[in-house]
Amino acid sequence: MSGRRNLIWLGLTPEPERELPVTVAALRTAARRTAAAPAEAAEAERRRVERLILHGTQRGWLRYLAEVTGLVTAVAGREGPGDRRAALRAAEVVLDHHRMLIGLPGPGYDRTAADRSALEHVVRTLRTAPPDGDRG
């Protein structure tokens, strides 16, 4: 290995960096059932994303996005608490990111195949589900 970091993955859209901290913080806070201030949770998530982007690898970034996929899948399947609108937004952002991986060299696109499939299902489910208050 040359010791040089492969940075090509950073050329994808900055949308995850902008959108995910607030939505993921909302999902994590609901999952922990804590009273943490939303602003504090969002700032902690923003710092995590920033560290991954500035100092991480594509593999680490994809692991983070897999965590997000797990959170939104739990909300969509009603196996975990959380704001369904936040889950839908996070799912859409991650799905768009994963679809763009096809244009990059390397195994990223293939690595995310299962997550793409799960996210496509989540997006369909959350777009057609009644609002949280209308469960029938």
Side-chain angles (χ1 to χ4, degrees), residues 19-37:
E19 301 275 341
L20 291 179
V22 171
T23 57
V24 172
L27 296 171
R28 287 190 199 281
T29 301
R32 287 192 311 262
R33 298 174 191 256
T34 64

Side-chain angles (χ1 to χ4, degrees), residues 12-53:
L12 291 178
T13 178
E15 192 174 17
E17 183 180 359
R18 276 194 320 262
E19 301 275 341
L20 291 179
V22 171
T23 57
V24 172
L27 296 171
R28 287 190 199 281
T29 301
R32 287 192 311 262
R33 298 174 191 256
T34 64
E40 292 171 11
E43 180 58 22
E45 199 68 31
R46 186 201 62 74
R47 284 191 308 271
R48 182 176 181 199
V49 167
E50 182 178 273
R51 274 192 310 277
L52 282 166
I53 290 171

Side-chain angles (χ1 to χ4, degrees), residues 115-136:
D115 283 353
R116 272 194 319 279
S117 178
L119 289 164
E120 287 166 353
H121 176 73
V122 163
V123 167
R124 279 191 308 274
T125 298
L126 292 173
R127 283 183 180 162
T128 60
D132 285 336
D134 298 341
R135 293 188 183 173

Side-chain angles (χ1 to χ4, degrees), residues 59-95:
R59 187 179 297 255
W61 177 244
L62 294 179
R63 274 193 306 268
Y64 171 76
L65 295 179
E67 283 180 41
V68 175
T69 300
L71 288 169
V72 301
T73 301
V75 171
R78 299 195 188 276
E79 296 144 14
D83 180 329
R84 293 172 71 79
R85 288 174 305 217
L88 175 59
R89 185 64 193 136
E92 290 170 335
V93 168
V94 176
L95 181 58

